Amino acid sequence: MPESSLANREIVLAGGSGGIGAAVAGLLLAEGARLVIGYRANRERAERWAGSATVVPADLASAPDRARLLDAAPALYGLVVLAGDPARIAAPTETEAAMRRSHEVNYLGPILLAREAAERMAAATTPGAIILISTM
């Protein structure tokens, strides 16, 4: 088997519990990455990775949660964010709150997490990558 450029590289995958995130988690693990998977709401889906990855509950809108997620990867090489909240509502009175939450989950949290990861990677002189994909 050829040596992978991701072999033994530590990668944080925020939003890796289901959908596209689960597919990306499988691909990263197949490449030999050491994976830290963050999830906000899908604990059962996230726990299926517990045998092959570190699983961390984390709401990207929370500064302590972002720090805990990054702390789980002390040799951080890369960050992939696939977290998202489409702002679905059941009643028109929920529109503003849903839009604010969507902004926090889809934009603010991922951007702040990426900045924090970039600062850590720069301090460690790690030549890695940061990838952000959001759902609206």
Side-chain angles (χ1 to χ4, degrees):
M1 175 181 231
E3 181 72 21
S4 169
S5 64
L6 296 179
N8 295 314
R9 303 283 189 164
E10 203 160 47
I11 298 174
V12 170
L13 173 57
S17 63
I20 295 170
V24 171
L27 291 170
L28 290 170
L29 288 169
E31 289 291 322
R34 292 186 326 238
L35 203 53
V36 174
I37 297 177
Y39 72 94
R40 181 175 57 90
N42 295 311
R43 181 184 180 128
E44 286 181 17
R45 292 194 309 189
E47 289 298 326
R48 74 173 169 224
W49 300 109
S52 54
T54 301
V55 179
V56 178
D59 182 342
L60 300 187
S62 163
D65 282 11
R66 289 191 306 271
R68 187 175 64 253
L69 184 59
L70 293 175
D71 288 347
L76 182 64
Y77 174 78
L79 169 68
V80 179
V81 179
L82 295 164
D85 184 335
R88 293 184 183 104
I89 59 169
T93 56
E94 300 171 356
T95 301
E96 185 174 342
M99 290 178 73
R100 289 185 189 282
R101 178 69 187 157
S102 180
H103 176 76
E104 289 177 353
V105 172
N106 297 315
Y107 174 73
L108 186 61
I111 293 296
L112 292 173
L113 180 65
R115 289 179 58 89
E116 293 161 21
E119 289 171 4
R120 290 177 185 219
M121 292 164 71
T125 64
T126 301
I130 296 175
I131 301 168
L132 304 173
I133 299 173
S134 182
T135 307
M136 292 299 274

